[in-house]
Amino acid sequence: MCMSPENVNSDNSREAGGVGPGLRRHSSSKELLGLWFGANVLGFAIATPLSFLTTLSYQYFEALYIAGLIIGAVVGPLQAWVIQRQLPRLRLWQWTLANIVGSYIGSWVGLFAVGLLTFMAYSISNAFQPDGMVGVVLGIGSYGLVIGMVLGVAQIFSLPSQAQNVRYWWTANAVGRSLGWLSASLLTWILSNAMDNFLDAHISWYILLGAVGGAVYAGMTVKALFNLNPNQLAP
């Protein structure tokens, strides 16, 4: 029986303990998945306590105006380090700057959106309570969504011109930010009602809140990250 050179090479590869391209891709995907979750959990776990500790007030919403700058500066480089495995032409400083600017502007636009929605809710019903469960879900969910939308636009401008599926990334980023903020904020609301002076509690609680939000965000955006590939036809 005659064997082609391709079959010989394949057999030699298996005999030498080599792995096929499918297994390599699977291993690479698992590594990328772990790095993406690790980068976002670590980044948000660091940025969240810094956001609370830097503000001059312990009121939750008053900490948000500077949170955009801090989160963008901390999370941005970690994300870029991972995304460069998908898009080697991505520049770390551009992605970090996009995260800082996008998060900061998004924070202000998000606060305006929350104020507008709260006003509209009061107009519909005087019984609306912004610090109740419905108010928390509506306010924080919309706040995170707006941040994700604004941030996504800034990130798209920082991506290499040949990147594919940027619209999918923008959508996933907006949803991920919304659910990330919502999950962390709901946990804050629950713990605040269960513990007296929760916002004066140990810094480890803030780290936990950030880690939870980062994990949710990573889970919502990881598929979009896998699809964020360079266009092979681009020069």
Side-chain angles (χ1 to χ4, degrees):
M1 178 178 178
C2 178
M3 296 183 66
S4 66
E6 289 80 359
N7 291 333
V8 173
N9 291 337
S10 178
D11 291 340
N12 291 339
S13 175
R14 282 192 290 269
E15 291 174 0
V19 295
L23 184 57
R24 284 197 297 268
R25 285 195 297 270
H26 179 68
S27 176
S28 177
S29 297
K30 289 180 63 177
E31 180 184 7
L32 186 64
L33 175 66
L35 290 174
W36 184 244
F37 268 87
N40 284 284
V41 169
L42 177 62
F44 282 99
I46 294 174
T48 299
L50 287 178
S51 300
F52 278 100
L53 295 175
T54 305
T55 184
L56 299 179
S57 172
Y58 289 101
Q59 295 298 319
Y60 181 74
F61 278 102
E62 294 182 16
L64 298 179
Y65 75 97
I66 198 170
L69 289 174
I70 296 175
I71 292 175
V74 174
V75 178
L78 295 173
Q79 289 183 341
W81 177 68
V82 178
I83 297 175
Q84 282 178 334
R85 285 157 172 75
Q86 289 286 98
L87 300 173
R89 293 187 181 182
L90 177 71
R91 296 184 178 181
L92 188 147
W93 72 267
Q94 289 181 336
W95 184 265
T96 301
L97 181 62
N99 274 264
I100 293 174
V101 175
S103 296
Y104 182 70
I105 296 177
S107 296
W108 283 107
V109 178
L111 287 174
F112 174 79
V114 170
L116 180 61
L117 287 174
T118 301
F119 174 78
M120 293 174 62
Y122 268 124
S123 300
I124 297 174
S125 174
N126 292 331
F128 175 74
Q129 297 294 327
D131 57 346
M133 177 64 74
V134 175
V136 170
V137 172
L138 178 64
I140 298 301
S142 59
Y143 176 79
L145 182 64
V146 171
I147 289 183
M149 294 170 64
V150 175
L151 176 60
V153 172
Q155 290 175 340
I156 287 175
F157 279 106
S158 71
L159 290 172
S161 59
Q162 81 277 16
Q164 295 178 328
N165 301 314
V166 293
R167 292 182 181 179
Y168 184 28
W169 171 261
W170 180 82
T171 303
N173 186 73
V175 175
R177 286 281 176 155
S178 177
L179 295 181
W181 273 97
L182 185 59
S183 60
S185 299
L186 284 176
L187 182 58
T188 302
W189 185 83
I190 293 172
L191 293 177
S192 296
N193 285 277
M195 301 170 54
D196 293 333
N197 301 320
F198 167 71
L199 292 180
D200 295 327
H202 195 270
I203 190 173
S204 59
W205 284 111
Y206 300 132
I207 295 175
L208 173 63
L209 296 176
V212 169
V216 172
Y217 172 81
M220 296 303 302
T221 55
V222 66
K223 186 176 180 180
L225 174 65
F226 286 140
N227 292 327
L228 202 61
N229 297 315
N231 189 343
Q232 299 301 325
L233 300 179

